[in-house]
Amino acid sequence: MNKMSWPGKIGVNLLAWLVSILMFFPIFWLILSSFKTNALAAAREPAFIFSPTMASYVNALVNSNYWHYALNSVYTAVGSTLLCVVLGVPAAYSMAFRRSKRTDFTLLWMLSTKMLPAVGVLVPIYIVYKNLHLLDSALGLTLIYTAMNLPIVVWLLYTYFKDVPGEILEAAEIDGASLVDNIVRIVTPLALPGIISTGLLAIVLAWNEAFWAINITNVHGATLSVFVSGFKSARGQFWANMSAASTLSVLPILVAGWFTQRQLVRGLTFGAVK
Amino acid sequence: MAVVELSNVGKRYPGAESLAVEDFNLTSEDGEFVVLVGPSGCGKTTTMRMIAGLEEHTEGAIKIGGRDVTGVAPKDRDIAMVFQSYALYPHMTVRDNMAFSLKLKKYAKSDIKKRVDDAAAVLGIEPLLDRKPRALSGGQRQRVALGRAIVRQPQVFLMDEPLSNLDAKLRVDMRAEIVKLHRKLGVTTFYVTHDQTEAMTMGQRIAVMKDGLVQQIDSPNTLYQHPANLFVAGFIGTPSMNFLTAEVSDNGQALSGPDFQLATDGPRRSVLADHGQTQVWAGIRPEHLHLSDSESADNRMQGQVEVVEPLGAMTMIQVLIGDTRVTAQIKPHQMVAMGDTVTLGCPSDKLYLFDKDSEMTLHGIDIGQSDAH
Amino acid sequence: MATRAIRSTVKTRQRQLGKASQGMISFLLIGPAVVYLFVWMLVPLAMTIYYSFRNYNLIRPTFTGWAGIANYANVLADPDFLSAFINTLVLVVASLILTILFGLFFAVLYNNEHVFGRNILRTFAASPFFIMPVVTGLIWSNLMMNPSFGLLAALWRGLGLVPIDFLAQFPMPSLVGIVTWQWTPFAMLVLLASLSGVPEDLKEAAGLDGAGAWKTFRHIVLPQLGRPLYAVVMLESIFFLVIFGQIYVTTSGGPGTATTNLPYYIYLQAFSAYNIGAASAGAIFAVILANIVAIFLVRMIYSNIQEEA
């Protein structure tokens, strides 16, 4: 494929750049709008060059309840991810190194729960949460996100653990390592890069989640998804505020997402693609 | 240091029809270097892993230092193992790799340091102690793997093809080094390899295995001179022994087949007479064949040269005798060309005879018994 | 020596005891995760099935007891449900076709080694996938598609056309467009990973055999993408069946029921009509729909796991 004419090369480059720009443009426009005034953001003539203002950011960070929702997002995303890792590491260890006839079945069963539509369990969880006073609580959301991401986390950790050579674990066993030693002192440090990127993916997925956040939280336990969706009826008003709040909600995760592209594909395809 | 005793040891994997290892009997001497050798899938590694306790034996008994180790965890068997892939902990320095087992046993820090330093000195890896395995060459990793085994001062060393990941030159060097190390430490060692040269050069005793069964356990020389069956005869020695199907005639006086005629000596004549079968396997090692004048000798085989491989110190030729390709080692100055018709001769007392069906030797050596001791 | 022997027998016994409870250890390792998923997924699912056969309305506390198949019958008779069902299929199928076409095109483009800075370009093109669906909805329904102040309206005016109120005039195509923007990166990334796995020398060999760029792609590259494409179709189906956030902030299922899909219908049944029984019956239909796809997906994953083991 090394032979390609000059016009061909230029054409392909132009096309590739155009595609990237078009795909990214709405995000760019969002960020740009966040530095405008509310009036300018909804101007009939789109403004590309203007003197930027931080007013909307100040408004979001100081005047509104941004921090309340942001903290809930951090709490639910990080909390559910930690829970996933704590539950997932031993499970994935068992699947990778203590294989039995049931291992594949268990793994498939876990993955298939991820294919269960959330609406299939929405009503009972809503009712149970109501009785347990978990509605509109960050804790309740964290517990749901854990269930939501656990299959992906177990699956990814399993694929990372499988890359640890069995002989190293046997060497450790002969060296006198117990099961816990094996998990804590050998497998976990060896698979640490994989564990970290798995965790990052789980954070991204929990952070962006909307269905549960909207349905079982309102104010007290609500995340940024709920906060931002409050702008949904801003027909031409507060667009700069909306853009600033959205940018603040999206940017850290966008950057994290850039670094987890591979894990994201690996995790969300459940091994259906090799 | 300890005697390792395997009696009737066998392994049946769950759901498997046949045994992966069957009826393994071997008692090592204290401080002996025992090699398990055989083609892949012969059960040699399984046997070693049963000694290590990484796999449970399902038949028989294993004793280490007089203690039955059935159900004893690997860490409590007082053994150390060197793996084919070295299995070094990639996230630990060389020092931590070597110290890991001692740390788990809660040895004193000063004690650990001394043991690691001593082992490093023995292996000449002191400058590497603070590096990670990633930064080491293959040979250095091999040394660290040995070091990790040494620091534990175990009763038994188990080595599973430790040299097979090294290049040819390094392999020869490390071979000598492991033998030297063994002599210095005097620890009973079990060594698994598929390479018969490695087995012959390193082992004090060699167990040749095939299909889960021990074929013969003997010293290198005995294996070479008195192979118990066709398999051992073919496996030990390079190039391999040649085998010809031969008709027995004149009450054991002669063996013949297409394009060859072999006379027997006294002992072989009586063996063949006692055996009484009309067909046997005749085995001849390439190094016992020579070019001979046609028609003159009693033992002669005639055929066309198919391959000529000059190796410098000697030349290997392959000659088609009947439909069997026979390898012969000839002197380098003997000029032979592809397509030539040559006659090969062989001394009568270098003939090996095996039963046609059971493939056992006819020379009266039973499996597992040695006349070398 | 004596103490050693005693200790070893103790250890032996421990080990044998341990052997008997190997299954116990495995359960301790894997059990928590399994139990967690069981409690959070299967138990609620069973409850949903139970509710779907019950008379249960949050604002009619006296309306209780077994409903038989009444909830299912009512749901099936509800024109809104049927339109939600059709909307779901339209949304899934249309988004599937578009994301795969665009994704394949983008993947081939960014797989071309002559593209300068292709890793960075790819990363930027992949960005929509990491935007939270709620924000995606806001960007498009407001900043882009608003008929008065949106960027597209300005563009239309610039071209001398009358601006379109996309979400009012073409609600479903607009929604499909939004979903396509968000999910094309997924198809692209999966296919790109598979494309880069096509050996370069295979393509070179095809080139030497006289195959042009298109023929090389058609006969060498595309066949290798068969399995990944199949996988993307099923994975995206699973994910598209449950789209919610984008609808919630853009059209709220409207105008009318034009963009109400199954999840949104169930959400409305539960939290607007408070009809738990009907919502549960609808949810069971959604589960069945997802399971049809999941069966094929699980089989594919299973064969992949088997191949690797």
Side-chain angles (χ1 to χ4, degrees), chain A residues 165 167-178 181 185-187 189-190, chain B residues 49 54 74-75 79 81 83-85 87-91 100-101 104 148 152:
Chain A
E167 283 197 342
I168 287 183
L169 292 188
E170 291 185 345
E173 199 184 338
I174 289 178
D175 272 350
S178 66
D181 286 328
R185 299 173 79 156
I186 306 290
V187 174
L190 274 183
Chain B
R49 291 170 60 84
L54 293 172
K75 63 185 168 100
I79 46 128
M81 189 155 167
F83 291 86
Q84 181 171 2
S85 65
L88 300 177
Y89 310 124
H91 58 297
F100 188 60
S101 64
L104 288 173
R148 193 171 61 179
R152 306 186 47 193

Short mmCIF file of all heavy atoms in Angstrom, two decimals, chain A residues 165 167-178 181 185-187 189-190, chain B residues 49 54 74-75 79 81 83-85 87-91 100-101 104 148 152:
data_model
loop_
_atom_site.label_atom_id
_atom_site.label_comp_id
_atom_site.label_asym_id
_atom_site.label_seq_id
_atom_site.Cartn_x
_atom_site.Cartn_y
_atom_site.Cartn_z
N PRO A 165 1.64 -14.88 33.16
CA PRO A 165 2.00 -16.28 32.92
C PRO A 165 1.73 -17.15 34.15
O PRO A 165 2.06 -16.77 35.28
CB PRO A 165 3.51 -16.21 32.65
CG PRO A 165 3.82 -14.80 32.36
CD PRO A 165 2.78 -13.97 33.06
N GLU A 167 3.19 -19.74 35.06
CA GLU A 167 4.41 -20.22 35.73
C GLU A 167 4.83 -19.27 36.84
O GLU A 167 5.42 -19.69 37.83
CB GLU A 167 5.54 -20.38 34.71
CG GLU A 167 5.40 -21.63 33.87
CD GLU A 167 6.69 -22.03 33.15
OE1 GLU A 167 7.58 -21.16 33.03
OE2 GLU A 167 6.80 -23.18 32.73
N ILE A 168 4.53 -17.97 36.68
CA ILE A 168 4.92 -17.02 37.72
C ILE A 168 4.12 -17.30 38.99
O ILE A 168 4.65 -17.26 40.10
CB ILE A 168 4.71 -15.58 37.22
CG1 ILE A 168 5.80 -15.25 36.21
CG2 ILE A 168 4.74 -14.59 38.36
CD1 ILE A 168 5.78 -13.85 35.69
N LEU A 169 2.86 -17.64 38.81
CA LEU A 169 2.04 -17.96 39.99
C LEU A 169 2.49 -19.25 40.63
O LEU A 169 2.49 -19.40 41.85
CB LEU A 169 0.57 -18.05 39.60
CG LEU A 169 -0.07 -16.75 39.18
CD1 LEU A 169 -1.56 -16.93 39.00
CD2 LEU A 169 0.20 -15.68 40.20
N GLU A 170 2.91 -20.20 39.80
CA GLU A 170 3.41 -21.46 40.36
C GLU A 170 4.72 -21.24 41.09
O GLU A 170 4.96 -21.82 42.16
CB GLU A 170 3.59 -22.48 39.23
CG GLU A 170 2.26 -22.93 38.67
CD GLU A 170 2.39 -24.02 37.63
OE1 GLU A 170 3.51 -24.25 37.11
OE2 GLU A 170 1.37 -24.65 37.32
N ALA A 171 5.56 -20.40 40.51
CA ALA A 171 6.81 -20.07 41.20
C ALA A 171 6.51 -19.45 42.56
O ALA A 171 7.14 -19.79 43.57
CB ALA A 171 7.63 -19.10 40.35
N ALA A 172 5.51 -18.58 42.58
CA ALA A 172 5.14 -17.94 43.85
C ALA A 172 4.58 -18.97 44.82
O ALA A 172 4.86 -18.92 46.02
CB ALA A 172 4.11 -16.84 43.60
N GLU A 173 3.82 -19.92 44.27
CA GLU A 173 3.25 -20.94 45.15
C GLU A 173 4.36 -21.76 45.80
O GLU A 173 4.33 -22.05 47.00
CB GLU A 173 2.33 -21.85 44.32
CG GLU A 173 1.35 -22.65 45.18
CD GLU A 173 0.53 -23.62 44.35
OE1 GLU A 173 0.40 -23.38 43.13
OE2 GLU A 173 0.04 -24.60 44.93
N ILE A 174 5.37 -22.10 44.99
CA ILE A 174 6.49 -22.86 45.53
C ILE A 174 7.27 -21.99 46.51
O ILE A 174 7.78 -22.47 47.51
CB ILE A 174 7.39 -23.36 44.38
CG1 ILE A 174 6.66 -24.48 43.63
CG2 ILE A 174 8.73 -23.85 44.91
CD1 ILE A 174 7.42 -25.02 42.46
N ASP A 175 7.35 -20.70 46.22
CA ASP A 175 8.05 -19.78 47.13
C ASP A 175 7.29 -19.60 48.44
O ASP A 175 7.78 -18.93 49.35
CB ASP A 175 8.24 -18.42 46.46
CG ASP A 175 9.54 -18.36 45.66
OD1 ASP A 175 10.35 -19.31 45.80
OD2 ASP A 175 9.74 -17.39 44.92
N GLY A 176 6.10 -20.13 48.51
CA GLY A 176 5.36 -20.07 49.77
C GLY A 176 4.26 -19.04 49.82
O GLY A 176 3.78 -18.70 50.90
N ALA A 177 3.86 -18.52 48.65
CA ALA A 177 2.82 -17.49 48.66
C ALA A 177 1.44 -18.12 48.86
O ALA A 177 1.11 -19.12 48.22
CB ALA A 177 2.84 -16.72 47.34
N SER A 178 0.67 -17.54 49.75
CA SER A 178 -0.71 -18.00 49.94
C SER A 178 -1.58 -17.39 48.84
O SER A 178 -1.11 -16.60 48.03
CB SER A 178 -1.22 -17.55 51.30
OG SER A 178 -1.31 -16.14 51.32
N ASP A 181 -1.51 -13.73 49.21
CA ASP A 181 -0.21 -13.22 48.73
C ASP A 181 -0.21 -13.15 47.21
O ASP A 181 0.25 -12.19 46.60
CB ASP A 181 0.93 -14.15 49.16
CG ASP A 181 1.23 -14.03 50.64
OD1 ASP A 181 1.06 -12.93 51.17
OD2 ASP A 181 1.63 -15.04 51.25
N ARG A 185 0.26 -9.61 46.11
CA ARG A 185 1.67 -9.30 45.89
C ARG A 185 2.15 -9.67 44.50
O ARG A 185 3.22 -9.23 44.08
CB ARG A 185 2.54 -10.00 46.94
CG ARG A 185 2.18 -9.53 48.34
CD ARG A 185 2.89 -10.32 49.39
NE ARG A 185 4.27 -9.88 49.55
CZ ARG A 185 4.96 -10.06 50.67
NH1 ARG A 185 4.40 -10.65 51.70
NH2 ARG A 185 6.20 -9.67 50.75
N ILE A 186 1.43 -10.53 43.80
CA ILE A 186 1.90 -10.92 42.46
C ILE A 186 0.95 -10.40 41.38
O ILE A 186 1.33 -9.57 40.55
CB ILE A 186 2.03 -12.46 42.34
CG1 ILE A 186 2.91 -13.01 43.45
CG2 ILE A 186 2.57 -12.83 40.96
CD1 ILE A 186 4.37 -12.68 43.34
N VAL A 187 -0.28 -10.88 41.39
CA VAL A 187 -1.17 -10.59 40.25
C VAL A 187 -1.54 -9.11 40.19
O VAL A 187 -1.48 -8.49 39.13
CB VAL A 187 -2.44 -11.46 40.32
CG1 VAL A 187 -3.42 -11.06 39.24
CG2 VAL A 187 -2.07 -12.92 40.17
N PRO A 189 -0.03 -6.27 41.39
CA PRO A 189 1.00 -5.37 40.86
C PRO A 189 1.33 -5.64 39.40
O PRO A 189 1.59 -4.72 38.63
CB PRO A 189 2.22 -5.62 41.75
CG PRO A 189 1.91 -6.81 42.56
CD PRO A 189 0.43 -6.98 42.59
N LEU A 190 1.29 -6.92 38.99
CA LEU A 190 1.62 -7.23 37.59
C LEU A 190 0.58 -6.68 36.64
O LEU A 190 0.89 -6.24 35.55
CB LEU A 190 1.71 -8.74 37.41
CG LEU A 190 3.06 -9.35 37.72
CD1 LEU A 190 3.07 -10.83 37.44
CD2 LEU A 190 4.13 -8.65 36.89
N ARG B 49 6.19 -32.04 37.93
CA ARG B 49 5.20 -31.21 38.61
C ARG B 49 4.54 -31.97 39.76
O ARG B 49 4.09 -31.36 40.73
CB ARG B 49 4.15 -30.71 37.62
CG ARG B 49 4.75 -29.69 36.63
CD ARG B 49 3.78 -29.38 35.50
NE ARG B 49 2.53 -28.83 35.99
CZ ARG B 49 2.34 -27.55 36.28
NH1 ARG B 49 3.33 -26.70 36.10
NH2 ARG B 49 1.19 -27.14 36.72
N LEU B 54 2.79 -29.29 42.29
CA LEU B 54 1.93 -28.42 41.49
C LEU B 54 0.78 -29.22 40.91
O LEU B 54 -0.24 -28.68 40.53
CB LEU B 54 2.73 -27.76 40.37
CG LEU B 54 3.78 -26.76 40.86
CD1 LEU B 54 4.68 -26.31 39.73
CD2 LEU B 54 3.11 -25.57 41.53
N PRO B 74 3.14 -27.39 47.77
CA PRO B 74 4.48 -27.22 47.19
C PRO B 74 5.44 -26.49 48.14
O PRO B 74 6.59 -26.88 48.27
CB PRO B 74 4.22 -26.39 45.95
CG PRO B 74 2.82 -26.68 45.57
CD PRO B 74 2.09 -26.97 46.83
N LYS B 75 4.93 -25.45 48.81
CA LYS B 75 5.82 -24.65 49.64
C LYS B 75 6.33 -25.42 50.85
O LYS B 75 7.33 -25.07 51.44
CB LYS B 75 5.12 -23.36 50.08
CG LYS B 75 3.91 -23.59 50.95
CD LYS B 75 3.21 -22.27 51.24
CE LYS B 75 1.85 -22.46 51.84
NZ LYS B 75 1.78 -22.31 53.29
N ILE B 79 11.33 -27.90 48.40
CA ILE B 79 11.90 -28.02 47.07
C ILE B 79 12.00 -26.62 46.46
O ILE B 79 11.36 -25.69 46.94
CB ILE B 79 11.00 -28.87 46.15
CG1 ILE B 79 9.54 -28.42 46.30
CG2 ILE B 79 11.11 -30.34 46.49
CD1 ILE B 79 8.87 -28.11 45.04
N MET B 81 12.12 -24.78 42.42
CA MET B 81 11.92 -25.14 41.02
C MET B 81 12.40 -24.02 40.10
O MET B 81 12.20 -22.84 40.39
CB MET B 81 10.44 -25.42 40.78
CG MET B 81 10.15 -26.00 39.41
SD MET B 81 8.62 -26.97 39.45
CE MET B 81 8.34 -27.19 37.71
N PHE B 83 11.87 -22.71 36.28
CA PHE B 83 10.90 -22.92 35.21
C PHE B 83 11.50 -22.62 33.84
O PHE B 83 12.46 -21.87 33.73
CB PHE B 83 9.69 -22.01 35.41
CG PHE B 83 8.84 -22.38 36.59
CD1 PHE B 83 9.14 -21.91 37.86
CD2 PHE B 83 7.76 -23.22 36.43
CE1 PHE B 83 8.36 -22.25 38.94
CE2 PHE B 83 6.97 -23.56 37.51
CZ PHE B 83 7.27 -23.09 38.76
N GLN B 84 10.86 -23.18 32.83
CA GLN B 84 11.30 -22.98 31.46
C GLN B 84 11.34 -21.50 31.10
O GLN B 84 12.26 -21.01 30.49
CB GLN B 84 10.35 -23.72 30.52
CG GLN B 84 10.74 -23.59 29.07
CD GLN B 84 9.92 -24.51 28.19
OE1 GLN B 84 9.04 -25.22 28.67
NE2 GLN B 84 10.21 -24.52 26.91
N SER B 85 10.27 -20.77 31.51
CA SER B 85 10.22 -19.34 31.20
C SER B 85 10.90 -18.51 32.28
O SER B 85 10.76 -17.30 32.30
CB SER B 85 8.76 -18.91 31.07
OG SER B 85 8.12 -19.05 32.31
N ALA B 87 10.06 -17.59 34.93
CA ALA B 87 8.99 -17.17 35.84
C ALA B 87 9.49 -16.21 36.91
O ALA B 87 9.13 -16.30 38.07
CB ALA B 87 8.33 -18.40 36.49
N LEU B 88 10.34 -15.27 36.50
CA LEU B 88 10.77 -14.23 37.46
C LEU B 88 9.61 -13.25 37.65
O LEU B 88 8.81 -13.05 36.74
CB LEU B 88 11.99 -13.49 36.91
CG LEU B 88 13.21 -14.38 36.66
CD1 LEU B 88 14.33 -13.56 36.05
CD2 LEU B 88 13.67 -15.04 37.94
N TYR B 89 9.53 -12.67 38.84
CA TYR B 89 8.48 -11.68 39.09
C TYR B 89 8.89 -10.37 38.42
O TYR B 89 9.84 -9.72 38.86
CB TYR B 89 8.29 -11.48 40.59
CG TYR B 89 8.13 -12.78 41.34
CD1 TYR B 89 8.96 -13.11 42.40
CD2 TYR B 89 7.15 -13.70 40.98
CE1 TYR B 89 8.82 -14.31 43.08
CE2 TYR B 89 7.01 -14.91 41.65
CZ TYR B 89 7.85 -15.21 42.70
OH TYR B 89 7.71 -16.39 43.35
N PRO B 90 8.18 -9.97 37.36
CA PRO B 90 8.65 -8.83 36.56
C PRO B 90 8.67 -7.51 37.32
O PRO B 90 9.41 -6.61 36.97
CB PRO B 90 7.63 -8.74 35.41
CG PRO B 90 6.82 -9.99 35.50
CD PRO B 90 6.92 -10.50 36.88
N HIS B 91 7.83 -7.41 38.36
CA HIS B 91 7.72 -6.13 39.07
C HIS B 91 8.68 -6.03 40.23
O HIS B 91 8.65 -5.07 40.98
CB HIS B 91 6.28 -5.92 39.55
CG HIS B 91 5.80 -7.02 40.44
ND1 HIS B 91 5.67 -8.32 40.02
CD2 HIS B 91 5.42 -7.02 41.74
CE1 HIS B 91 5.21 -9.07 41.01
NE2 HIS B 91 5.06 -8.30 42.07
N PHE B 100 12.05 -13.22 47.85
CA PHE B 100 10.60 -13.33 48.06
C PHE B 100 10.22 -14.49 48.98
O PHE B 100 9.47 -14.31 49.94
CB PHE B 100 9.90 -13.48 46.70
CG PHE B 100 8.41 -13.40 46.78
CD1 PHE B 100 7.77 -12.27 47.27
CD2 PHE B 100 7.63 -14.47 46.35
CE1 PHE B 100 6.39 -12.20 47.33
CE2 PHE B 100 6.24 -14.41 46.41
CZ PHE B 100 5.63 -13.28 46.90
N SER B 101 10.76 -15.67 48.71
CA SER B 101 10.36 -16.83 49.52
C SER B 101 10.83 -16.68 50.96
O SER B 101 10.14 -17.08 51.89
CB SER B 101 10.94 -18.11 48.91
OG SER B 101 12.35 -18.07 48.96
N LEU B 104 8.51 -14.32 52.75
CA LEU B 104 7.24 -14.97 53.10
C LEU B 104 7.43 -15.87 54.32
O LEU B 104 6.50 -16.06 55.11
CB LEU B 104 6.72 -15.78 51.92
CG LEU B 104 6.17 -14.97 50.75
CD1 LEU B 104 5.83 -15.87 49.58
CD2 LEU B 104 4.95 -14.16 51.17
N ARG B 148 17.25 -17.75 42.67
CA ARG B 148 16.04 -17.78 43.47
C ARG B 148 15.84 -19.17 44.07
O ARG B 148 15.32 -19.31 45.18
CB ARG B 148 14.84 -17.41 42.59
CG ARG B 148 13.61 -17.11 43.38
CD ARG B 148 12.53 -16.55 42.51
NE ARG B 148 12.13 -17.47 41.46
CZ ARG B 148 11.18 -17.21 40.56
NH1 ARG B 148 10.57 -16.06 40.58
NH2 ARG B 148 10.87 -18.09 39.64
N ARG B 152 16.93 -20.59 48.82
CA ARG B 152 16.03 -21.28 49.75
C ARG B 152 16.70 -22.47 50.40
O ARG B 152 16.17 -23.05 51.33
CB ARG B 152 14.79 -21.76 48.99
CG ARG B 152 14.11 -20.64 48.25
CD ARG B 152 12.83 -21.11 47.66
NE ARG B 152 12.07 -21.88 48.66
CZ ARG B 152 11.04 -22.63 48.36
NH1 ARG B 152 10.67 -22.75 47.12
NH2 ARG B 152 10.41 -23.26 49.31
#
